[in-house]
Amino acid sequence: MQQLDETRLPRAALALGLLGGAGAILGATALILSGTAHAGEEIIRGTVDGEERTWERFDTDDGGPAFFTDLPAGARLFNLHGLRDGSTPNPLGSLIVSVTTFNDNVGRVEVSYYHEQAGGPDFVGNDQLENVEYEFDRLEVDGDTARISGRVSGELHHRENPLSEETDPSRTRSVEVEFDTTLPEQK
């Protein structure tokens, strides 16, 4: 079992995709159309603009957007994708927490919240914006299963175009989210 050196790793951060915003969004949207929520398991909970929310880990038959994978040069990606209140596969209202580690040290954390209106923009936070804080209690791998638990909070910035990294800091969504779940390995 590999585990990060420290159990609490606060740092400013967050937004969608190691793969780049557009690639991650398009990939997640394609998987959303073919998957289901992990039934009955409320593993992500918190608030968006002060309103209580729960999300369920989103899985597909082939592993889906909730996963972890090893990357080149000692990097590893943990991708937690939650569907709102166990809804049918639908990107509206979903939340993604993506963590990239380098040699078991957190390198990048990103969060994306998909607006709950059809065709609506998403709200993101990332390490360049320094608009979200995070803390992990567990971020570990045991064989083909990872465990991720912790919290994220802050002000996500509006992003009109999912193909762009440009955000509008004058339009925000406040998030406070905690999570504790396992992720399957994606090879």
Side-chain angles (χ1 to χ4, degrees):
M1 182 182 306
Q2 294 183 357
Q3 186 171 351
L4 292 176
D5 295 340
E6 300 293 325
T7 57
R8 298 223 187 279
L9 302 167
R11 179 176 164 184
L14 306 160
L16 182 79
L18 174 69
L19 305 174
I25 290 169
L26 295 175
T29 302
L31 288 169
I32 284 170
L33 300 176
S34 65
T36 59
H38 193 66
E41 191 174 343
E42 292 181 10
I43 49 135
I44 310 168
R45 59 190 145 275
T47 62
V48 175
D49 289 338
E51 185 178 317
E52 293 285 329
R53 302 285 171 95
T54 59
W55 295 267
E56 291 181 4
R57 190 184 75 210
F58 178 43
D59 296 320
T60 63
D61 292 338
D62 63 352
F67 67 90
F68 84 94
T69 191
D70 288 326
L71 302 172
R76 182 174 279 150
L77 173 65
F78 299 85
N79 197 59
L80 176 57
H81 189 141
L83 291 178
R84 69 186 164 128
D85 302 317
S87 64
T88 57
N90 181 339
L92 304 181
S94 67
L95 180 84
I96 297 173
V97 177
S98 183
V99 181
T100 305
T101 62
F102 300 95
N103 299 316
D104 293 332
N105 295 305
V106 173
R108 182 172 178 156
V109 178
E110 304 170 331
V111 168
S112 203
Y113 172 73
Y114 291 87
H115 200 309
E116 295 189 23
Q117 296 176 358
D122 59 320
F123 290 81
V124 298
N126 64 41
D127 49 358
Q128 287 86 27
L129 295 173
E130 298 183 353
N131 57 339
V132 178
E133 293 183 0
Y134 63 83
E135 183 176 355
F136 296 109
D137 298 317
R138 293 175 71 182
L139 189 54
E140 59 192 32
V141 173
D142 186 7
D144 61 358
T145 303
R147 181 121 200 125
I148 181 170
S149 66
R151 287 155 293 293
V152 294
S153 63
E155 298 292 322
L156 302 183
H157 296 180
H158 173 270
R159 179 172 62 192
E160 186 68 40
N161 181 350
L163 302 177
S164 170
E165 292 297 319
E166 196 171 318
T167 64
D168 179 356
S170 70
R171 296 179 63 193
T172 64
R173 287 284 180 122
S174 173
V175 297
E176 290 187 28
V177 178
E178 63 180 316
F179 44 88
D180 184 6
T181 189
T182 59
L183 298 173
E185 183 176 18
Q186 185 178 74
K187 296 182 181 189

